[in-house]
Amino acid sequence: MNNKTLVRISNIIGMISIILLVYWVFTFILIEVFGLKVFRENMTETFYLSVIGILALMLGALIINIMFNLTRIAQKHNIDETQKPIAKKLIWSLMAIFPIIAILLFGGDFLTSQKKENLLIKSAKSIIETNESKSNKLIDYQFDEKYIIETSKTLALFSDTDKNVPSVTVIVKDTIDKSPVFLGFNEYYNGNLKDTISPKKIDFIQKTTEPERKYLNSVFNSNNSEIRYSSHNGNYELFYPYKKGNKKIILYFSDQQRYGKIGS
């Protein structure tokens, strides 16, 4: 194999490596800017490590060129007219890959979100149905330490029952100084019935966004029974209304994941 052939091969490897690196950077920017969760942990780590392989190819191609005293890719100054259409087609083909990558990434993130929604809804229904007596105790709300402690124990049981439900909060509507508020009770309450200091409502206020408050008011004030699900940047949230007679609460299931659910 002569020097000219080696240089040509190194040029091809270098060009392919540059193209792959450009695609890699484009993919990385989309994932980070839009918080896309597409692939499972192993595939995500493989994707990040692949840049090392790409850079190694580029370095190898550069070394070969230096060895043969060629520090840049050979270019022809006079290109045949018959070669120009081929070059244009190649460029357009390479450009077309960018929207394909974007579609695949956003599509994968959407499928991941849909899969998580189905898992959370299925888990919520299963937990409530298999623990009906405890669920009924949750709906019998009154603000005192006994209710808070019992709720904490029940929610801890819910979280331990299903691995798809790492965090559960009971949301109720109440008032503080005649102002309507939403209170949230979770499994992490560390109070004791023997404590002399009584719990205060202000310590249990559930922080919400304006769209969330609008939804919560529709459940407590307008008998809305629809489930509300949202996902953003790996945060998955499910508001699950639960009613018994005239009483109602909302079970708020939340999860945060660094990776998606596609791949292995």
Side-chain angles (χ1 to χ4, degrees), residues 195-223:
D195 289 343
T196 57
I197 301 177
S198 300
K200 299 179 180 179
K201 290 182 181 180
I202 196 170
D203 295 328
F204 295 89
I205 291 179
Q206 180 74 17
K207 292 183 179 181
T208 56
T209 63
E210 192 278 331
E212 289 173 345
R213 288 192 296 276
K214 184 177 180 181
Y215 166 77
L216 293 174
N217 280 316
S218 70
V219 173
F220 287 106
N221 300 337
S222 305
N223 294 320

Side-chain angles (χ1 to χ4, degrees), residues 109-140:
D109 182 70
F110 175 77
L111 292 176
T112 293
S113 178
Q114 289 291 104
K115 188 173 182 179
K116 187 62 181 180
E117 179 181 8
N118 293 333
L119 286 174
L120 285 176
I121 293 175
K122 185 177 179 181
S123 297
K125 289 181 179 179
S126 175
I127 287 175
I128 292 174
E129 290 175 357
T130 56
N131 299 277
E132 185 175 359
S133 61
K134 291 186 178 297
S135 299
N136 290 338
K137 289 183 179 179
L138 293 178
I139 208 168
D140 191 20

Side-chain angles (χ1 to χ4, degrees), residues 179-194:
S179 297
V181 293
F182 296 106
L183 305 182
F185 305 96
N186 55 41
E187 62 184 284
Y188 304 109
Y189 181 70
N190 296 319
N192 191 310
L193 289 174
K194 295 181 181 180

Side-chain angles (χ1 to χ4, degrees), residues 13-69:
I13 293 175
M15 288 299 298
I16 293 175
S17 300
I18 292 172
I19 292 171
L20 290 176
L21 184 61
V22 171
Y23 289 147
W24 191 98
V25 172
F26 176 73
T27 302
F28 178 80
I29 290 174
L30 284 183
I31 290 176
E32 292 300 314
V33 171
F34 295 98
L36 304 179
K37 306 297 177 182
V38 182
F39 306 111
R40 290 185 181 272
E41 182 176 0
N42 291 340
M43 289 190 66
T44 302
E45 291 177 349
T46 300
F47 168 74
Y48 288 135
L49 289 174
S50 65
V51 70
I52 298 177
I54 295 173
L55 292 175
L57 286 175
M58 293 178 63
L59 181 60
L62 179 61
I63 291 175
I64 292 176
N65 274 320
I66 292 175
M67 287 174 61
F68 294 96
N69 200 25

Side-chain angles (χ1 to χ4, degrees), residues 141-145 147-148 174 183 185 199-201 204:
Y141 165 71
Q142 55 182 348
F143 189 82
D144 56 35
E145 192 165 25
Y147 174 85
I148 298 171
D174 207 327
L183 305 182
F185 305 96
K200 299 179 180 179
K201 290 182 181 180
F204 295 89

